[in-house]
Amino acid sequence: MPTPHISAAIGDIAETVLMPGDPYRAKWAAETYLDDIKLVNEVRGMLGFTGTYKGNPVTIHGSGMGMPSISIYANELITEYGAKTLIRIGSCGAMQHHIKVRDVVIAMTATTMGTTPSAGFFKEINYAPCADYGLLEAAVAAARQKDTGVHVGNIYSSDIFYAERPDLDEVMIRHGILGVEMEAAELYTVAARHGVRALGVMTVSDHLLTHEALPSDQREKSFGDMVEIALEAAFAA
């Protein structure tokens, strides 16, 4: 049955779902990389498309911005539609000098302030969200076949976009956090709770240290490597 946020019929959502935050990025990725695509959701403007990649069924579905939003879609995709592999594809801000704009960051773990939508499940426990290792390994292998910089490690999933705590940035930079985004930690936690696979593959769109930023008209082309890495990882033997 349709959920409050997804109108797709049962069978319209593939077991493998790529989740960009921007619904129009979902449309671009589906039209660029999938065959035989079908629009399966447009409730509240959150677009979802299902097609095939090298013969494998894939859904590319927007997640919205922030952990509360991706939590809604991930929970419904898993519990109501049977999704088994969920890969976040999106942008992040670099937090280390050796990382460049347009590089790809693959999130092994995701640090938070402890304010994720799932935080209440754990009470006094500081749960450490992490990626599925099989997906992580496959994504790294796929990334190494491309002419782009790739970095694997800990990222920061923030619950606020306009942060005003440079002291926190300094601590995270000192402890090797690769970049900041707003969704992966909750995706990893929801996936773990339901026993499915999750991974975050992000393109660096801006840099917190150098203040370099990728112009909007160049983002789609630069994000292509990220989408291909995610698709190859999802179906690696």
Side-chain angles (χ1 to χ4, degrees):
M1 295 291 293
T3 72
H5 308 96
I6 303 174
S7 61
I10 297 299
D12 280 351
I13 301 290
E15 291 189 355
T16 296
V17 183
L18 272 57
M19 302 183 74
D22 183 348
Y24 287 99
R25 192 174 298 159
K27 182 176 186 291
W28 169 80
E31 291 175 345
T32 304
Y33 293 99
L34 303 187
D35 296 319
D36 303 318
I37 65 170
K38 173 185 177 182
L39 176 67
V40 296
N41 185 53
E42 53 183 336
V43 175
R44 301 184 181 217
M46 193 56 68
L47 304 178
F49 300 85
T50 295
T52 60
Y53 177 74
K54 297 182 178 179
N56 299 293
V58 180
T59 295
I60 303 182
H61 197 293
S63 71
M65 185 178 293
M67 287 184 277
S69 186
I70 200 170
S71 187
I72 290 171
Y73 289 102
N75 270 288
E76 293 183 3
L77 287 165
I78 295 166
T79 62
E80 302 299 326
Y81 290 97
K84 302 297 184 186
T85 297
L86 297 93
I87 303 178
R88 163 163 158 67
I89 52 172
S91 58
C92 70
M95 299 183 77
Q96 300 293 329
H97 280 293
H98 67 278
I99 300 175
K100 308 301 181 185
V101 169
R102 295 187 178 87
D103 283 359
V104 171
V105 172
I106 302 173
M108 181 166 55
T109 54
T111 292
T112 70
M113 289 282 287
T115 51
T116 69
S118 290
F121 279 84
F122 299 102
K123 299 182 180 180
E124 68 271 25
I125 296 172
N126 291 319
Y127 179 75
C130 64
D132 175 84
Y133 180 75
L135 281 177
L136 179 74
E137 185 178 39
V140 173
R144 286 176 175 160
Q145 302 303 310
K146 296 191 169 294
D147 185 23
T148 188
V150 60
H151 311 272
V152 184
N154 195 356
I155 64 163
Y156 171 48
S157 292
S158 175
D159 59 358
I160 184 169
F161 188 84
Y162 294 108
E164 297 185 7
R165 290 287 305 275
D167 58 317
L168 292 181
D169 289 347
E170 291 171 6
V171 170
M172 287 187 284
I173 291 166
R174 181 180 178 187
H175 287 82
I177 299 292
L178 300 179
V180 56
E181 52 87 72
M182 300 184 70
E183 289 85 23
E186 178 66 6
L187 176 62
Y188 287 6
T189 304
V190 172
R193 185 154 65 244
H194 294 290
V196 302
R197 306 193 302 168
L199 181 67
V201 182
M202 279 75 68
T203 297
V204 176
S205 61
D206 57 280
H207 207 296
L208 274 67
L209 299 177
T210 67
H211 306 294
E212 183 183 1
L214 192 63
S216 58
D217 61 349
Q218 296 181 26
R219 290 193 176 198
E220 284 188 358
K221 182 178 180 181
S222 297
F223 288 166
D225 283 345
M226 168 186 67
V227 179
E228 292 175 4
I229 290 166
L231 287 168
E232 289 295 323
F235 300 109

